[in-house]
Amino acid sequence: MEHLELFFKSVFIDNMVFATFLGMCSYLAVSKKVTTAVGLGVAVIFVLAITVPLNWLLDQYLLQPGALKWLGKEYIDYDLSFLSFIMFIATIATMVQLVEIIVEKFSPSLYNSLGIFLPLIAVNCAILGGSLFMQSREIASLGLAFNYGISSGIGWFLAILAIAAIREKIRYSSVPPALRGLGITFIITGLMGIGFLSFGGMLTGGDEEEKPATKTEAVIKKEDLKEDKKEIAKNTKTIQ
Amino acid sequence: MALLSKKDTKLITDPLTDNNPITIQVLGICSALAITAELKASIVMSIAVIFVMGFGNVVISLMRNVIPSKIRIIVQLIVVASLVIIVDQVLKAFAYPLSKTLGAFVGLIITNCIIMGRFEAFALANKPWRSFLDGIGNALGYGVILIIVGFFRELLGAGTLLGYQVLGDPITKTGLYAIGYENNGFMLLSPMALIVVGLIIWVQRSRNPALVEEN
């Protein structure tokens, strides 16, 4: 139950992009085409699923106040938590290098399409953010940390997939010139974020059975929003 | 002899307007949006980024000839991480409540794309003094947007600036509230940050049509 709750919470309520704005840079830069967006999204899920549990172990057995007690009684007073940034980022950089090598070996086409963005995963805020939030939210066990990594990765994946799909369509609508490209993407993301706010009561209101119902309702609402926007765009075109 | 030559001045002023890191280069959005619900947090965040950028650029520029290009990302990350640890410890020591508000976002300066982006694009190819100016300029450009967004979100969302009630007291109904003004609490929610930045981009590009992108 705990796992399911954490899963839904990290995918929908605390969605990395819409609630905490993590990984916005690559989210904006790589979302022009659905195929590349999917590739990057999968890479993010993968890297998060590895680094969050790894960093959880580091945090638990090395960095937290008193974490060194497995070394002996005299180490119990040590507090190395100020080192966590440097330890986390080192773990992440190493893992990303590893992923890069593996992808280059097994899927050259994916490697080509991701191009320079793969090294940028190391500086994708979503990855470090995953580890830092794991630390500040005090995730209780290794299993939960793994779950947290995967589910926040899935949340990020959903977000980039949705925006890439919308951006592919928006090419056919007439956006005011000054808003083209970046501006309209920001505003759409804001609207999607408002849509995602409606997931807020998912875990607190109603019984367990109603969960899927609330979810689909909100999804439909979001799709309606999209449809409406397309409709408006079409109308403006005909008027012109 | 002026302290800054014309070319050097351009390094600082360019990122403030036509080459702004947030609205044009699309770097460093993550932290820009998350902490701008209050003006104070935006200002502190800008100062932290100015510090990290300026010194980080100098350090990388000094080491540019000895860093093997294969492991440069890791080296850069370690440099930034060390600087950010300094910022974090200083904040925890002198402004504990504020460091609680900023929370994980101080740590996220490490992965602020502006910093890595400027290391890659500028510091690795230029002398320390110029890199320092470039760092300061870009961090200022980042700070300007942060402060604009923070200003509007705090003013319209909570009716305060830096914690002072500038529009009157909403409970005793003084100032603007006396004539029926209401705070727009929606401005404090996260999606509005995106929309405010979107509007800033709109204004900027309408004033300077050369910046308009193709669809």
Side-chain angles (χ1 to χ4, degrees):
Chain A
M1 208 54 246
E2 209 180 354
H3 278 272
L4 203 63
E5 201 169 293
L6 184 70
F7 178 81
F8 280 111
K9 195 163 171 333
S10 4
V11 172
F12 294 107
I13 302 175
D14 285 333
N15 185 293
M16 287 211 140
V17 173
F18 299 125
T20 47
F21 304 117
L22 294 177
M24 286 298 287
C25 310
S26 22
Y27 167 87
L28 292 168
V30 193
S31 59
K32 282 195 178 117
K33 268 177 69 189
V34 170
T35 41
T36 36
V38 169
L40 188 73
V42 172
V44 166
I45 296 181
F46 185 63
V47 174
L48 268 173
I50 298 170
T51 56
V52 173
L54 262 181
N55 283 335
W56 185 84
L57 288 174
L58 274 178
D59 188 44
Q60 210 57 213
Y61 294 108
L62 198 62
L63 298 169
Q64 272 182 5
L68 285 172
K69 66 167 180 264
W70 54 275
L71 272 178
K73 267 209 176 99
E74 63 271 33
Y75 293 100
I76 207 157
D77 289 335
Y78 282 64
D79 176 7
L80 295 180
S81 53
F82 68 95
L83 282 179
S84 39
F85 294 158
I86 221 164
M87 295 295 284
F88 286 176
I89 201 71
T91 317
I92 289 166
T94 325
M95 288 321 296
V96 168
Q97 208 98 58
L98 204 68
V99 171
E100 197 182 342
I101 294 167
I102 293 170
V103 171
E104 192 177 7
K105 172 92 178 145
F106 290 106
S107 170
S109 62
L110 181 62
Y111 184 78
N112 287 337
S113 65
L114 287 182
I116 58 161
F117 291 112
L118 214 49
L120 278 183
I121 288 190
V123 288
N124 188 329
C125 338
I127 311 288
L128 182 64
S131 292
L132 287 176
F133 279 125
M134 172 272 296
Q135 194 187 28
S136 67
R137 283 176 196 167
E138 286 161 7
I139 302 272
S141 71
L142 186 62
L144 282 174
F146 181 65
N147 180 343
Y148 181 68
I150 288 204
S151 45
S152 32
I154 292 176
W156 199 88
F157 174 80
L158 277 181
I160 196 170
L161 186 65
I163 192 76
I166 295 179
R167 280 181 88 171
E168 275 195 2
K169 289 288 173 204
I170 211 152
R171 228 168 285 159
Y172 307 111
S173 32
S174 76
V175 179
L179 264 182
R180 267 178 209 157
L182 193 57
I184 195 73
T185 314
F186 265 106
I187 291 179
I188 294 171
T189 312
L191 293 176
M192 286 162 78
I194 294 172
F196 264 66
L197 282 181
S198 57
F199 290 120
M202 198 165 92
L203 293 179
T204 46
D207 332 334
E208 305 301 331
E209 271 72 42
E210 283 176 6
K211 242 188 246 170
T214 356
K215 201 179 92 197
T216 38
E217 204 179 85
V219 168
I220 290 167
K221 222 184 272 167
K222 213 177 92 201
E223 270 166 10
D224 277 349
L225 203 76
K226 244 192 295 183
E227 288 298 323
D228 283 350
K229 238 185 293 167
K230 260 187 244 161
E231 212 52 55
I232 294 167
K234 227 186 273 165
N235 291 342
T236 39
K237 222 178 231 169
T238 29
I239 292 165
Q240 282 168 348
Chain B
M1 179 83 188
L3 183 62
L4 301 170
S5 69
K6 212 172 191 182
K7 236 165 121 193
D8 287 347
T9 328
K10 213 166 161 353
L11 282 178
I12 290 200
T13 52
D14 244 20
L16 289 181
T17 52
D18 289 349
N19 200 14
N20 190 285
I22 293 186
T23 60
I24 309 295
Q25 301 175 42
V26 206
L27 295 173
I29 317 275
C30 337
S31 54
L33 301 172
I35 45 94
T36 46
E38 281 174 57
L39 186 56
K40 196 170 168 197
S42 325
I43 294 175
V44 171
M45 190 69 174
S46 318
I47 295 172
V49 170
I50 291 173
F51 169 79
V52 174
M53 277 278 343
F55 287 96
N57 253 1
V58 172
V59 173
I60 292 293
S61 170
L62 286 171
M63 300 202 303
R64 68 186 188 280
N65 295 324
V66 288
I67 303 176
S69 75
K70 279 224 155 131
I71 58 156
R72 64 174 195 284
I73 292 198
I74 296 183
V75 175
Q76 288 163 358
L77 285 174
I78 299 295
V79 170
V80 189
S82 324
L83 286 166
V84 170
I85 289 176
I86 298 176
V87 170
D88 187 45
Q89 296 293 318
V90 169
L91 274 182
K92 272 192 187 139
F94 295 106
Y96 191 71
L98 201 62
S99 89
K100 272 272 164 272
T101 343
L102 291 176
F105 288 97
V106 179
L108 287 170
I109 299 178
I110 300 174
T111 47
N112 192 324
C113 333
I114 297 187
I115 294 179
M116 295 301 282
R118 292 326 289 177
F119 282 1
E120 289 277 303
F122 202 90
L124 278 176
N126 284 284
K127 295 225 167 79
W129 173 237
R130 283 178 54 100
S131 308
F132 180 70
L133 291 178
D134 181 76
I136 299 286
N138 275 287
L140 281 175
Y142 167 86
V144 166
I145 301 287
L146 236 71
I147 288 169
I148 296 177
V149 178
F151 176 83
F152 282 113
R153 282 183 74 193
E154 193 179 342
L155 183 67
L156 300 178
T160 57
L161 283 178
L162 294 172
Y164 296 106
Q165 295 173 323
V166 287
L167 298 182
D169 194 333
I171 297 159
T172 53
K173 300 273 175 215
T174 54
L176 267 185
Y177 298 99
I179 53 171
Y181 176 80
E182 288 289 341
N183 282 330
N184 182 2
F186 206 52
M187 290 299 283
L188 295 177
L189 293 175
S190 44
M192 284 314 287
L194 284 159
I195 293 179
V196 173
V197 175
L199 294 177
I200 293 176
I201 294 176
W202 193 359
V203 171
Q204 191 187 19
R205 294 191 183 179
S206 321
R207 288 164 53 113
N208 187 350
L211 299 174
V212 170
E213 288 176 59
E214 284 301 305
N215 232 351

